[in-house]
């Protein structure tokens, strides 16, 4: 399944209308092996392992009134196994309840920011997703890896989710 469809399906699961407060962790510092990615137009920043490569952002035109944009990163492991990070920013839709119900998402606080988290097997990978609602948009952050190495990424995925912050737009 191509990455555009992946982002769209993941994004469709993560929409809704819940408001959260500002991040309580404005300036997280990560070890040198992490780097920051910012999108000032969409209003977020996130840290990821520096050796992961940024993928070309797919065109997100399938639902221009819902999907406002995103970014993706990946690393290739041994035996062609991969680990991924996708960020998708959504406008208001009616599908947030579906994400919570079908993904059995639980309320969480990550990096001082309230969100909804779900783990599921999807597209041949284990996926851990946290949706961070803003006042007029939803920040969908998804980390994925092959099931046989997924647990090995717990600390990395935790650091990625903890680093996420809204930078002004969408609060």
């Amino acid at each position: 399944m191509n990455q555009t469809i992946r982002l769209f399906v993941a994004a469709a699961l993560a929409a809704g209308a819940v408001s959260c407060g500002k991040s309580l962790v404005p300036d997280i510092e990560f070890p040198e092996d992490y780097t920051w990615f910012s999108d000032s137009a969409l209003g977020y920043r996130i840290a990821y392992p520096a050796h992961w490569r940024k993928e070309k952002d797919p065109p997100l035109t399938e639902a221009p009134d819902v999907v406002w944009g995103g970014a993706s990163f990946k690393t290739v492991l041994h035996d062609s196994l991969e680990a991924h990070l996708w960020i998708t920013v959504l406008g208001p839709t009616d599908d947030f309840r579906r994400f919570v119900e079908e993904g059995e998402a639980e309320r969480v606080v990550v990096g001082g920011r309230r969100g909804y988290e779900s783990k599921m097997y999807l597209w041949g990978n284990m996926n851990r997703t946290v949706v961070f609602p803003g006042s007029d948009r939803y920040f969908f952050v998804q980390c994925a890896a092959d099931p046989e190495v997924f647990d090995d990424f717990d600390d990395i995925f935790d650091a990625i989710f903890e680093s996420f912050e809204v930078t002004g737009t969408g609060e």
Side-chain angles (χ1 to χ4, degrees), residues 22-33:
K22 277 190 157 184
S23 172
L24 300 176
V25 188
D27 292 311
I28 296 173
E29 292 187 27
F30 280 91
E32 290 180 19
D33 58 341

PDB file of all heavy atoms in Angstrom, residues 22-33:
ATOM      1  N   LYS A  22      -1.730  23.842  26.046  1.00  0.00           N
ATOM      2  CA  LYS A  22      -0.389  23.927  25.488  1.00  0.00           C
ATOM      3  C   LYS A  22       0.523  22.864  26.057  1.00  0.00           C
ATOM      4  O   LYS A  22       0.330  22.379  27.156  1.00  0.00           O
ATOM      5  CB  LYS A  22       0.211  25.288  25.809  1.00  0.00           C
ATOM      6  CG  LYS A  22      -0.178  26.369  24.882  1.00  0.00           C
ATOM      7  CD  LYS A  22       0.669  27.577  25.166  1.00  0.00           C
ATOM      8  CE  LYS A  22       0.709  28.450  23.955  1.00  0.00           C
ATOM      9  NZ  LYS A  22       1.572  29.573  24.113  1.00  0.00           N
ATOM     10  N   SER A  23       1.569  22.546  25.298  1.00  0.00           N
ATOM     11  CA  SER A  23       2.571  21.615  25.780  1.00  0.00           C
ATOM     12  C   SER A  23       3.247  22.194  27.016  1.00  0.00           C
ATOM     13  O   SER A  23       3.539  23.375  27.084  1.00  0.00           O
ATOM     14  CB  SER A  23       3.619  21.383  24.688  1.00  0.00           C
ATOM     15  OG  SER A  23       4.687  20.630  25.186  1.00  0.00           O
ATOM     16  N   LEU A  24       3.491  21.340  27.983  1.00  0.00           N
ATOM     17  CA  LEU A  24       4.191  21.770  29.186  1.00  0.00           C
ATOM     18  C   LEU A  24       5.693  21.592  29.054  1.00  0.00           C
ATOM     19  O   LEU A  24       6.441  21.830  29.979  1.00  0.00           O
ATOM     20  CB  LEU A  24       3.680  20.969  30.387  1.00  0.00           C
ATOM     21  CG  LEU A  24       2.193  21.112  30.673  1.00  0.00           C
ATOM     22  CD1 LEU A  24       1.784  20.204  31.813  1.00  0.00           C
ATOM     23  CD2 LEU A  24       1.838  22.550  30.977  1.00  0.00           C
ATOM     24  N   VAL A  25       6.147  21.120  27.886  1.00  0.00           N
ATOM     25  CA  VAL A  25       7.565  20.842  27.668  1.00  0.00           C
ATOM     26  C   VAL A  25       8.026  21.592  26.425  1.00  0.00           C
ATOM     27  O   VAL A  25       8.197  21.021  25.373  1.00  0.00           O
ATOM     28  CB  VAL A  25       7.799  19.322  27.488  1.00  0.00           C
ATOM     29  CG1 VAL A  25       9.269  19.003  27.457  1.00  0.00           C
ATOM     30  CG2 VAL A  25       7.101  18.536  28.585  1.00  0.00           C
ATOM     31  N   PRO A  26       8.223  22.910  26.519  1.00  0.00           N
ATOM     32  CA  PRO A  26       8.496  23.699  25.323  1.00  0.00           C
ATOM     33  C   PRO A  26       9.873  23.495  24.702  1.00  0.00           C
ATOM     34  O   PRO A  26      10.016  23.657  23.512  1.00  0.00           O
ATOM     35  CB  PRO A  26       8.342  25.137  25.803  1.00  0.00           C
ATOM     36  CG  PRO A  26       8.577  25.083  27.263  1.00  0.00           C
ATOM     37  CD  PRO A  26       8.104  23.729  27.709  1.00  0.00           C
ATOM     38  N   ASP A  27      10.870  23.155  25.471  1.00  0.00           N
ATOM     39  CA  ASP A  27      12.221  23.053  24.921  1.00  0.00           C
ATOM     40  C   ASP A  27      12.913  21.762  25.332  1.00  0.00           C
ATOM     41  O   ASP A  27      13.893  21.772  26.066  1.00  0.00           O
ATOM     42  CB  ASP A  27      13.074  24.248  25.356  1.00  0.00           C
ATOM     43  CG  ASP A  27      12.585  25.525  24.711  1.00  0.00           C
ATOM     44  OD1 ASP A  27      12.392  25.522  23.485  1.00  0.00           O
ATOM     45  OD2 ASP A  27      12.381  26.510  25.435  1.00  0.00           O
ATOM     46  N   ILE A  28      12.420  20.646  24.848  1.00  0.00           N
ATOM     47  CA  ILE A  28      13.052  19.358  25.141  1.00  0.00           C
ATOM     48  C   ILE A  28      14.400  19.318  24.435  1.00  0.00           C
ATOM     49  O   ILE A  28      14.513  19.710  23.281  1.00  0.00           O
ATOM     50  CB  ILE A  28      12.184  18.203  24.636  1.00  0.00           C
ATOM     51  CG1 ILE A  28      10.861  18.190  25.396  1.00  0.00           C
ATOM     52  CG2 ILE A  28      12.893  16.873  24.770  1.00  0.00           C
ATOM     53  CD1 ILE A  28       9.869  17.198  24.857  1.00  0.00           C
ATOM     54  N   GLU A  29      15.400  18.850  25.123  1.00  0.00           N
ATOM     55  CA  GLU A  29      16.706  18.659  24.501  1.00  0.00           C
ATOM     56  C   GLU A  29      16.966  17.176  24.376  1.00  0.00           C
ATOM     57  O   GLU A  29      16.832  16.429  25.331  1.00  0.00           O
ATOM     58  CB  GLU A  29      17.798  19.326  25.337  1.00  0.00           C
ATOM     59  CG  GLU A  29      17.693  20.831  25.316  1.00  0.00           C
ATOM     60  CD  GLU A  29      18.863  21.491  26.001  1.00  0.00           C
ATOM     61  OE1 GLU A  29      19.957  20.894  26.032  1.00  0.00           O
ATOM     62  OE2 GLU A  29      18.667  22.596  26.513  1.00  0.00           O
ATOM     63  N   PHE A  30      17.328  16.745  23.175  1.00  0.00           N
ATOM     64  CA  PHE A  30      17.596  15.345  22.917  1.00  0.00           C
ATOM     65  C   PHE A  30      19.085  15.140  22.690  1.00  0.00           C
ATOM     66  O   PHE A  30      19.801  16.085  22.360  1.00  0.00           O
ATOM     67  CB  PHE A  30      16.809  14.873  21.691  1.00  0.00           C
ATOM     68  CG  PHE A  30      15.394  14.562  22.019  1.00  0.00           C
ATOM     69  CD1 PHE A  30      14.418  15.531  21.912  1.00  0.00           C
ATOM     70  CD2 PHE A  30      15.028  13.307  22.465  1.00  0.00           C
ATOM     71  CE1 PHE A  30      13.108  15.259  22.234  1.00  0.00           C
ATOM     72  CE2 PHE A  30      13.723  13.021  22.788  1.00  0.00           C
ATOM     73  CZ  PHE A  30      12.768  13.991  22.673  1.00  0.00           C
ATOM     74  N   PRO A  31      19.540  13.909  22.832  1.00  0.00           N
ATOM     75  CA  PRO A  31      20.948  13.625  22.535  1.00  0.00           C
ATOM     76  C   PRO A  31      21.278  14.004  21.098  1.00  0.00           C
ATOM     77  O   PRO A  31      20.385  14.212  20.280  1.00  0.00           O
ATOM     78  CB  PRO A  31      21.053  12.105  22.735  1.00  0.00           C
ATOM     79  CG  PRO A  31      19.851  11.716  23.521  1.00  0.00           C
ATOM     80  CD  PRO A  31      18.793  12.735  23.224  1.00  0.00           C
ATOM     81  N   GLU A  32      22.542  14.074  20.799  1.00  0.00           N
ATOM     82  CA  GLU A  32      22.987  14.472  19.466  1.00  0.00           C
ATOM     83  C   GLU A  32      22.465  13.561  18.371  1.00  0.00           C
ATOM     84  O   GLU A  32      22.428  13.944  17.213  1.00  0.00           O
ATOM     85  CB  GLU A  32      24.512  14.504  19.417  1.00  0.00           C
ATOM     86  CG  GLU A  32      25.102  15.641  20.213  1.00  0.00           C
ATOM     87  CD  GLU A  32      26.617  15.654  20.144  1.00  0.00           C
ATOM     88  OE1 GLU A  32      27.197  15.032  19.237  1.00  0.00           O
ATOM     89  OE2 GLU A  32      27.222  16.300  21.010  1.00  0.00           O
ATOM     90  N   ASP A  33      22.044  12.347  18.713  1.00  0.00           N
ATOM     91  CA  ASP A  33      21.585  11.440  17.678  1.00  0.00           C
ATOM     92  C   ASP A  33      20.119  11.654  17.304  1.00  0.00           C
ATOM     93  O   ASP A  33      19.545  10.874  16.562  1.00  0.00           O
ATOM     94  CB  ASP A  33      21.855   9.987  18.060  1.00  0.00           C
ATOM     95  CG  ASP A  33      21.207   9.584  19.373  1.00  0.00           C
ATOM     96  OD1 ASP A  33      20.854  10.461  20.170  1.00  0.00           O
ATOM     97  OD2 ASP A  33      21.071   8.372  19.597  1.00  0.00           O
TER      98      ASP A  33
END
